[in-house]
Amino acid sequence: MKTRSGLGNFLTTVLLLLIGSLLIYGNLINRDVGDIISSMLVMPWVGAALGAVMILSVLLQWFGGLGGKQKARFIDFDSDDGSVGISTKAIQDFIERVGKEFAAVKQIDSKLVQDKGALDILISVKVVSGNKIPELSQVLQQRIRESVRESLGLEEIRNITIQVSEIVGEPVQSSAEAPVSG
């Protein structure tokens, strides 16, 4: 199981920024460095223009991605017939649907963290007041682990961490605990 990430994009961006900055520095600020670079290029302004275009392309990539749709990340695993990729968004939606099966769970949010081939699932829940949180957490962890394995085929689930972010609703009082009016 592996995650498709933007590491290649990050390295390319850093490399473009480095080369572009070096070209501008060598051609406009420190001519000694510029002379070395210019010997490789025909004219100094060609190198400066090339550096400016590289930096501009990186800036356009950064700012162009701010308002746009974020590229989906996938978790890949091998099946009998090849490789299967499931988007992290689809996995999170699936986990949240499983969590909503529990009446005690008012709201659920999930996050996936992949480390060394294993998947950690972080879950934040709002629990309805009056429920036994340790028991609910244990059953919820077990149900999510089984559902993800059976329905999605993801076997390497290391940890499922549940954080109760809020307890909502009024506590339920039994008749034995009802206040005595006098």
Side-chain angles (χ1 to χ4, degrees), residues 4 70 74 105-106:
R4 297 180 205 163
Q70 188 178 11
F74 289 81
V105 175
K106 182 72 173 175

Side-chain angles (χ1 to χ4, degrees), residues 6-42:
L7 182 61
N9 289 338
F10 174 75
L11 292 176
T12 303
T13 302
V14 170
L15 186 61
L16 280 172
L17 280 174
L18 183 64
I19 292 170
S21 299
L22 183 63
L23 287 170
I24 290 175
Y25 175 78
N27 287 295
L28 297 178
I29 299 171
N30 185 344
R31 283 302 307 157
D32 293 334
V33 174
D35 289 339
I36 296 169
I37 295 171
S38 294
S39 67
M40 293 179 227
L41 300 171
V42 179

